[in-house]
Amino acid sequence: MDIRRRLPSRELPAQNDDVVTAPPPRRGSDALPLPLYLTNFFFTFLFAATVYFLLIRWGEKISTSTPLHVVNLSELLSLIGVIASCIYLIGFLGVDFAQSVFLRSSSSSDDVWIPNDDEIDRLVKIESDLTSEEDEAIVKSVIDGATSSHSLETKLGDCKRAAAIRREAVQRMTGKSLTGLPLDGFDYDSILGQCCEMPVGYVQIPVGIAGPLLLDGKEYSVPMATTEGCLVASTNRGCKAIHLSGGAFSFLMKDAMTRAPVVKFPSVKRAARAMFYLQDPANFERLSLIFSKSSRFAWLQSITCSISGRNLYPRFACGTGDAMGMNMVSKGVQNVLDFVKTMFPDMVVIGISGNCCSDKKASAINWIQGRGKHVVCEALIKGGIVRNVLKTTVEDLVELHVLKNLTGSAMAGSLGGFNAHASNIVSAVFIATGQDPAQNVESSHCITQFEAEGDDLHISVSMPCIEVGTVGGGTQLASQSACLNLLGVKGSSDKEKAGSNARQLARIVAGSVLAGELSLMSAIASGQLVKSHMKYNRSSRDIGPSSQVNR
């Protein structure tokens, strides 16, 4: 069923999304500020009188052999009167020709396009996904505010139908079309209550494969979801150089998700006593049991506190198995806070997160102490591979690394950003495998090292905050689950190896970053960065022939 949002006849959609009001049509009756019947009489009389006068004058000229093109002032005024009255009468009788001529001439100078009714209908027609009159009634109810948009899934019991109705309501309320945003082909039931609220469609992001990445003696085809040209190709080149040199090796240093609430006490003395209690090793076992009572997969590893006046920030570090674990850690921390409040009844919990965790923010505490998985990855790239595959030299790479990744980042006051583009690879792998894209902030903390080892190049990346999981959140969606399956880390691992899938995914992320760093630094050192982007990151569809000369 076609659903159209009809604009008023004088409102036209403009390219800048504003409403442009077209000038009202000209009428012949607007020629004089007189009542319609007087205006009609005036121009009818004018036409008849001027035509009669001119016929008399032309008859006299013919009888006296006077040329007709020789006119005096009275004849000139009569001609003007005939033309004016003809224009009025033609317009009044409903002939559109005169109006269209004058409107077109007046609008051409302003480049205003005035479409007719059919063209307006085509402009404002919004594609509808509704299939019944009942859906139409629900859309109107949502627009009127009688039905809440967020409650459609619960009321209808059909997530796909709810998304279609919400989409139609949004289009009508905003007057903007969502054509191009796909609706069909997605399992909306899979995101209900856990991934996205009030959906109206989904965004398509292309997924490329880099590799094989030879990491710890095993090959991985790395899925990367990105819209940046050259990124997958560059990472793929790095994988090739690593593979030809014998592969990369990774080491997991630490695995602990953190949560740090903020609590307040009446005095610094009371805050300090609570801090000593939480950090006392004698109390740890009891607190650990209380922490774990809400989850059989989470366990408490340590508690470190920071104090600011009478405000306390206890930072809980926890194991989370194959889950990224933010929710289960928050539940465990809440259990501990409830217990501590029985010991310190004057404690006030201000927030379950006090930003000392520190989640989705660049921070020194994450850079130093780590959050999530702390992974270090290294490879020894042969000198011949550097020259033949990467098209540069070991000496140039080392010099560029010192001046760019180290000195340049220090000059910029970088925090955890002593690398070339770690976040590029982290974001692409995160999106492909269903991780939280916002945690790219701390997960991309990375220091890259390039060192000459004889004729070869030793490269390493140290990443203290890789926050990933293979269960929960977006990892259970079909597309993301397929990418995890490609890497061999889908879902939960065996009880004997609890958390091994998530830890392996963190290793793969670090190995992929290693490949990306190696390739990009080589492209910069050899002066190929701009050329490669001009070749692979430019759409020829948007470039005219003249702009493609000498490319």
Side-chain angles (χ1 to χ4, degrees), residues 253 366-368 373-379 401-402 404-410 414-423 426 441-451 458-466 509-511 513-515 517-518 521:
M253 304 300 179
N366 284 347
W367 179 236
I368 296 170
K373 278 72 172 170
H374 183 169
V375 181
V376 179
C377 190
E378 68 173 353
H401 161 69
V402 171
K404 171 182 167 62
N405 292 341
L406 302 184
T407 307
S409 296
S414 179
L415 179 60
F418 297 91
N419 57 78
H421 72 147
S423 63
V426 171
V441 177
E442 63 268 38
S443 294
S444 295
H445 280 351
C446 172
I447 182 168
T448 303
Q449 294 284 2
F450 284 81
E451 299 175 86
H458 183 274
I459 177 176
S460 67
V461 292
S462 300
M463 305 180 68
C465 309
I466 302 179
V509 170
V513 169
L514 185 76
E517 292 285 278
L518 178 61
M521 289 292 288

Side-chain angles (χ1 to χ4, degrees), residues 190-240:
S190 65
I191 64 174
L192 181 62
Q194 57 183 344
C195 288
C196 179
E197 298 75 42
M198 295 185 286
V200 294
Y202 60 97
V203 173
Q204 297 168 309
I205 301 178
V207 177
I209 297 295
L213 171 66
L214 182 57
L215 179 66
D216 300 323
K218 187 176 180 180
E219 293 184 348
Y220 297 93
S221 295
V222 183
M224 301 176 65
T226 182
T227 56
E228 179 182 352
C230 295
L231 179 59
V232 178
S234 178
T235 307
N236 188 69
R237 184 176 74 150
C239 290
K240 178 181 179 181

Side-chain angles (χ1 to χ4, degrees), residues 465-517:
C465 309
I466 302 179
E467 300 169 356
V468 293
T470 58
V471 296
T475 64
Q476 48 84 39
L477 299 179
S479 301
Q480 290 80 348
S481 180
C483 291
L484 289 170
N485 186 60
L486 177 66
L487 294 172
V489 295
K490 176 182 175 181
S492 299
S493 49
D494 298 334
K495 292 183 178 179
E496 295 77 14
K497 300 179 180 179
S500 61
N501 279 351
R503 289 191 287 270
Q504 187 58 38
L505 178 58
R507 292 170 181 262
I508 294 171
V509 170
S512 303
V513 169
L514 185 76
E517 292 285 278

